[in-house]
Amino acid sequence: MGGFFFKSKNPKELVAWYEKHLGLKTDDYSCTFWWKDKGGNDCSSQWSPFADDTTYFAPSEKQFIQNFRVDDLEKLFKKLSDEGVTIVGDVKTYGYGKFGWILDSERNKIELRKPINNVFQ
């Protein structure tokens, strides 16, 4: 699991609540949980509230979006496309990863991420 993102009526207030009561240290985007994979590599998972009016989860109407780390985004997208899975938009590349989006059978949006250069892996 790469992360869990969800809509909130007041993200700043909610972040303050989680910091006060559960000790989550959240920057402008998320709280990052660092861990090691089976090979001992540094990895992370993010927790992040989004404003209620965000369009980032579209076309899903759900209040959340899941993020999964993948090894080969292009290969996976080819496979998913061949299987008839709905792909949302184009793959986006940033200095910290490549991102792509799909819809599951209930039209829940899923974000897939291939980390680049071990940043936020």
Side-chain angles (χ1 to χ4, degrees):
M1 175 68 74
F4 183 71
F5 312 121
F6 57 96
K7 293 182 180 183
S8 167
K9 291 179 183 173
N10 190 331
K12 287 184 181 188
E13 212 172 85
L14 190 62
V15 163
W17 187 94
Y18 274 83
E19 182 172 1
K20 177 180 178 180
H21 298 289
L22 297 178
L24 270 64
K25 302 293 183 200
T26 307
D27 61 21
D28 289 340
Y29 303 103
S30 66
C31 177
T32 303
F33 298 90
W34 291 98
W35 50 278
K36 303 269 186 193
D37 66 12
K38 291 180 183 178
N41 299 303
D42 288 331
C43 296
S44 68
S45 296
Q46 279 72 38
W47 170 92
S48 184
F50 281 66
D52 251 352
D53 61 355
T54 186
T55 59
Y56 192 70
F57 302 175
S60 175
E61 296 179 13
K62 300 289 180 145
Q63 298 296 312
F64 63 88
I65 185 173
Q66 301 172 79
N67 171 288
F68 294 99
R69 283 183 305 280
V70 300
D71 291 326
D72 189 331
L73 188 59
E74 287 81 8
K75 183 177 178 181
L76 177 59
F77 263 41
K78 169 78 171 93
K79 176 183 179 295
L80 294 172
S81 179
D82 290 348
E83 294 172 352
V85 172
T86 301
I87 295 175
V88 179
D90 297 319
V91 171
K92 304 282 186 195
T93 302
Y94 304 96
Y96 47 88
K98 289 184 178 183
F99 294 79
W101 300 268
I102 62 171
L103 297 179
D104 69 15
S105 61
E106 293 187 357
R107 298 195 49 80
N108 297 309
K109 190 173 181 184
I110 299 169
E111 182 174 75
L112 303 171
R113 175 174 56 96
K114 164 64 177 148
I116 295 178
N117 300 327
N118 294 327
V119 177
F120 298 115
Q121 193 155 32

